[in-house]
Amino acid sequence: MRTRPRPRPPKLLLEIAMPPRSPIASHFSGKLTSQVRRVLPAYLVLVFIFLFFANTHFFTTPIRAASKYRRELKYQQPLQVSNALIPRKIWQTWKVGPLGFEQRDSDSAKTWPAKNPRYRYEVLTDDNANEYLEWHYGVHRFNRPDLVDLYRELNITIIKADLLRYLVMYAEGGVYADIDVECLRPIDRFIPERYNEQDVDMIIGVEIDEPAFAEHAILGSKCKSFCQWTFAAKPELPVMMRLIENIQEWLHQLSHGKGIAIPELQLDFDEVISGTGPSAFTRAVLEQMTAQNHGEQVTWDLFHNLAESRLVNGILVLNVEAFAAGQGHSDSGNHDSRGALVKHHYHASGWPTLHPRRNHPMYGEVEQCNWKPECVAEWDKNVAEWDTLPKEEQDKRIASKSTLPRGLKSPY
């Protein structure tokens, strides 16, 4: 007897009927898939490139860290001729040569060869500086076209002047002095008799020694500095190349941060001081002292209230009276003392007019206090109170200040 097959259980899921695909749709689907496969790598590369340039700082951090490490090793290399003396050369830089000096510049400049007849005297000008750098930093010597190009790119006069003195002193060494600096004593007096001249690689002096202002919002970055309007050095000192490459890195970072090319940069007073001026000079010197001190940090404490010169790893630091007497601060003394070696007349120091300091609309520049604590405290107090005033009251006070007769101070 034949058994009947059991009925199949009903399906629990409904099957959705799909319309049959046309041959045309199948053709284009295959085409699309193959095209995507071909172009996908290119798209991914483009996305990666976009992300890379959008986050260059992040992606290049390891590269920059490795570069900085290699630079640091280079700065710690010993001098090629460690027992050599500082060359007997005097360097000055100016817009024109000695034959074109104004009387006041000529008067100051003549004191250098007059008091140092055994020294060679040379002035680099705006016209011949490029050729000088192309020779020494081109293929003939250091082969650093990047530094030549950097100098050429710059359009800021004071930055070029600062960078040029450092490049010259690295290339040939000697004694550098600003055009408005008068020589009061022979250069042979720069090194005290208790030192062996061969042990001195560099001679610098204190300019500002006011560490009490270290936390001040405006004065803090400038309150501890060495002078760079006069200094002396042996050629090819690592500290000078450290300074030069610090400036190079700073300029590129500034250009990147502001989103403009280096020739288009505009800087204020503090940016100049910290980028290429005394603050930058001081930072490089302290970094070099630390590097040559087995990593143990050398700070400004070592030079605060410096009564006599101090030799630190080949760098001779003179007290503030030597190169910066007569400033009215930092216990700098006066130019009549035996310890005063040069006199800075400041008549060539007009660059701050192009790079202004922070100027409060009511109380002016805190630098006008010339580091006097009572004056700075009063300025800070007035500015703090000003910030609490309504706009109408601020405008009223500014208006009353502008209508005062010359020489009469505002009651505010």
Side-chain angles (χ1 to χ4, degrees):
M1 187 172 178
R2 296 175 64 185
T3 60
R4 296 173 61 184
R6 293 182 179 180
R8 297 175 70 181
K11 291 184 178 180
L12 298 179
L13 299 177
L14 295 176
E15 293 183 358
I16 300 175
M18 299 292 293
R21 298 177 66 184
S22 67
I24 296 176
S26 299
H27 171 77
F28 279 104
S29 175
K31 281 273 188 183
L32 184 62
T33 303
S34 61
Q35 288 175 354
V36 169
R37 287 175 179 170
R38 282 200 300 270
V39 301
L40 185 59
Y43 277 121
L44 291 175
V45 170
L46 289 174
V47 169
F48 177 79
I49 292 174
F50 172 78
L51 291 174
F52 177 82
F53 284 104
N55 300 274
T56 303
H57 188 81
F58 173 79
F59 281 105
T60 59
T61 296
I63 299 174
R64 285 184 286 107
S67 174
K68 194 165 186 177
Y69 176 73
R70 288 194 298 271
R71 280 172 49 190
E72 192 60 43
L73 290 180
K74 177 178 64 177
Y75 302 146
Q76 296 181 35
Q77 294 297 316
L79 292 178
Q80 297 297 320
V81 186
S82 58
N83 61 347
L85 304 179
I86 293 175
R88 283 177 161 74
K89 303 175 184 177
I90 299 167
W91 294 98
Q92 295 192 297
T93 62
W94 194 231
K95 307 167 192 174
V96 296
L99 296 178
F101 283 175
E102 294 182 23
Q103 189 62 48
R104 60 182 186 178
D105 299 327
S106 180
D107 290 343
S108 297
K110 285 178 180 177
T111 62
W112 289 95
K115 285 190 166 56
N116 305 281
R118 294 188 299 120
Y119 280 67
R120 192 186 95 192
Y121 175 79
E122 186 167 346
V123 178
L124 280 179
T125 70
D126 291 350
D127 292 330
N128 58 33
N130 286 328
E131 286 72 17
Y132 177 91
L133 296 180
E134 285 173 1
W135 173 265
H136 288 282
Y137 289 88
V139 295
H140 303 94
R141 283 197 69 188
F142 301 124
N143 197 23
R144 290 295 302 268
D146 56 316
L147 296 178
V148 179
D149 292 342
L150 179 66
Y151 182 81
R152 284 185 176 278
E153 276 188 281
L154 288 166
N155 283 326
I156 302 174
T157 302
I158 184 60
I159 300 298
K160 288 178 77 84
D162 283 341
L163 182 58
L164 179 59
R165 74 188 66 182
Y166 305 144
L167 289 166
V168 169
M169 293 296 279
Y170 180 79
E172 295 198 61
V175 178
Y176 171 83
D178 276 359
I179 201 69
D180 55 359
V181 173
E182 175 187 352
C183 183
L184 299 178
R185 307 279 187 272
I187 293 172
D188 292 344
R189 292 268 300 272
F190 285 16
I191 301 178
E193 293 180 356
R194 66 179 178 275
Y195 297 114
N196 184 338
E197 191 175 352
Q198 293 181 338
D199 296 334
V200 178
D201 300 329
M202 187 176 189
I203 307 170
I204 60 177
V206 173
E207 178 185 354
I208 300 177
D209 183 25
E210 296 287 351
F213 294 98
E215 301 303 319
H216 194 274
I218 298 175
L219 301 176
S221 63
K222 299 170 281 195
C223 67
K224 299 174 284 190
S225 65
F226 297 121
C227 162
Q228 41 90 269
W229 61 59
T230 302
F231 66 99
K234 293 177 181 177
E236 300 184 42
L237 286 186
V239 64
M240 296 309 301
M241 184 51 65
R242 178 191 291 273
L243 174 57
I244 292 164
E245 292 182 336
N246 281 354
I247 292 171
Q248 182 182 36
E249 182 180 35
W250 169 73
L251 285 168
H252 285 296
Q253 288 178 348
L254 202 63
S255 171
H256 180 267
K258 295 189 175 187
I260 56 177
I262 286 177
E264 300 169 11
L265 286 173
Q266 298 292 326
L267 305 177
D268 61 28
F269 180 88
D270 287 345
E271 286 175 318
V272 172
I273 293 294
S274 64
T276 62
S279 296
F281 184 78
T282 302
R283 185 165 55 253
V285 168
L286 293 178
E287 286 174 357
Q288 190 66 30
M289 287 178 173
T290 297
Q292 295 178 333
N293 198 41
H294 308 293
E296 186 176 342
Q297 189 172 14
V298 176
T299 69
W300 188 259
D301 294 344
L302 198 60
F303 311 107
H304 178 46
N305 288 330
L306 189 66
E308 295 186 349
S309 57
R310 188 187 296 269
L311 184 64
V312 182
N313 298 320
I315 301 177
L316 178 62
V317 181
L318 305 179
N319 64 22
V320 65
E321 195 176 52
F323 293 159
Q327 297 181 100
H329 62 76
S330 306
D331 196 20
S332 58
N334 59 70
H335 296 106
D336 295 328
S337 69
R338 291 185 71 254
L341 303 174
V342 305
K343 182 177 182 178
H344 193 189
H345 291 278
Y346 297 100
H347 57 248
S349 302
W351 64 267
T353 58
L354 301 175
H355 309 278
R357 298 176 174 92
R358 293 189 220 178
N359 195 336
H360 192 274
M362 189 69 195
Y363 303 109
E365 302 167 355
V366 69
E367 286 90 348
Q368 295 297 323
C369 289
N370 200 28
W371 304 96
K372 292 179 174 58
E374 299 82 4
C375 178
V376 174
E378 183 70 16
W379 190 92
D380 289 343
K381 176 185 173 184
N382 289 337
V383 170
E385 185 248 350
W386 177 269
D387 292 338
T388 66
L389 297 176
K391 182 69 165 57
E392 296 77 11
E393 179 63 21
Q394 291 179 351
D395 292 341
K396 176 184 172 184
R397 295 192 179 191
I398 292 174
S400 68
K401 174 186 175 184
S402 63
T403 58
L404 286 173
R406 181 174 295 182
L408 187 63
K409 291 187 177 180
S410 167
Y412 304 112

